[in-house]
Amino acid sequence: MLFIGICGASGSGKSTLSEELLRALNTSSTVINQDAYYLDYPHLSYEERSQLNFDEPKIFDHDQLLQDITDLLDGKPIIRKAYDFTKHARVKSDEVIYPGDVLIMEGIHAFYDKRLCDQMFLKLFINVEPDICLLRRINRDIKERERSIDSISAQYLATVKPMYDKYIRNYIHQADVIVTRGGKNARIVEILAGYLRDALEK
């Protein structure tokens, strides 16, 4: 199994690139979203959970993510983790993920945990201008997460931009390949898919 990490700012196109790669590879593949591994805070009220910093690396359950990735790489199935962004809480899932030929893990802090990075066959960083990422984030959060413009703006200024400057933009130095123009860069998808197909054949 080839394990690929995709990192980049929120709204850079990580999920899109993952989907495009799966489509181009046309083999048994799985995508794990780091967003599904936010720590749970059932003892906090919704208002209190809303004030958490969802852009810092320690908000994720890195140990559980590592365990799930390790199990898949060892040929063991796992239960897909799920998260409800409208409630800021984990939700139960019965979906079973079986090991395949390619495993992709994408997230804003995909390269934070050295234990995971050491197992990655290929590390991709999507480099997109912050203003483009912000526009994409606004569009996504309104449509998919029932957020208001005011709340999106407040969060961007309070946590998204500071955490990008402190952590996320520096992950570029850990990448094997830097992807520009977002997840729909057809040429880079074709090149990466060809490289991965060759690696699978070997």
Side-chain angles (χ1 to χ4, degrees):
M1 177 188 292
L2 301 181
F3 177 31
I4 302 162
I6 300 180
C7 190
S10 175
S12 60
K14 299 181 297 297
S15 297
T16 300
L17 179 59
S18 301
E19 294 166 2
E20 292 297 317
L21 276 176
L22 292 191
R23 188 175 298 111
L25 286 169
N26 192 29
T27 187
S28 58
S29 308
T30 299
V31 174
I32 298 292
N33 307 104
Q34 189 180 39
D35 281 356
Y37 289 81
Y38 278 116
L39 290 167
D40 209 13
Y41 296 89
H43 59 288
L44 299 180
S45 68
Y46 171 78
E47 289 72 21
E48 290 172 321
R49 294 198 300 272
S50 298
Q51 299 305 311
L52 294 171
N53 183 349
F54 289 96
D55 295 278
E56 68 170 342
K58 292 182 180 179
I59 198 71
F60 294 99
D61 190 343
H62 296 285
D63 289 338
Q64 182 63 68
L65 177 56
L66 175 67
Q67 184 62 60
D68 284 354
I69 295 293
T70 301
D71 283 346
L72 286 170
L73 293 177
D74 287 342
K76 304 173 185 176
I78 65 169
I79 300 296
R80 183 180 293 279
K81 305 303 182 290
Y83 193 85
D84 187 337
F85 294 95
T86 64
K87 297 178 180 178
H88 301 304
R90 284 185 179 179
V91 293
K92 290 184 178 181
S93 169
D94 296 323
E95 181 184 353
V96 179
I97 301 177
Y98 295 96
D101 295 327
V102 176
L103 172 62
I104 298 175
M105 193 272 284
E106 61 89 5
I108 58 174
H109 292 293
F111 298 165
Y112 175 78
D113 192 334
K114 186 178 184 300
R115 299 172 300 174
L116 274 177
C117 284
D118 287 345
Q119 298 188 68
M120 292 177 183
F121 173 77
L122 186 66
K123 295 188 287 293
L124 310 176
F125 184 91
I126 305 186
N127 193 24
V128 176
E129 290 296 326
D131 55 347
I132 300 298
C133 292
L134 175 58
L135 290 173
R136 292 174 178 171
R137 181 185 177 100
I138 290 172
N139 185 56
R140 178 202 67 193
D141 284 2
I142 290 176
K143 290 182 177 179
E144 299 178 13
R145 302 182 181 179
E146 302 177 10
R147 301 277 304 282
S148 67
I149 286 289
D150 288 343
S151 69
I152 296 170
S153 300
Q155 184 182 32
Y156 182 81
L157 294 174
T159 64
V160 178
K161 185 63 164 60
M163 293 299 99
Y164 173 80
D165 291 336
K166 184 176 181 179
Y167 294 104
I168 300 168
R169 71 176 181 179
N170 296 314
Y171 293 137
I172 194 171
H173 303 297
Q174 299 183 45
D176 299 308
V177 178
I178 299 170
V179 180
T180 60
R181 305 205 322 266
K184 285 192 175 294
N185 187 332
R187 180 161 296 179
I188 193 66
V189 169
E190 181 181 348
I191 292 171
L192 289 171
Y195 172 70
L196 294 172
R197 279 193 293 268
D198 287 345
L200 285 171
E201 290 176 2
K202 293 176 182 177

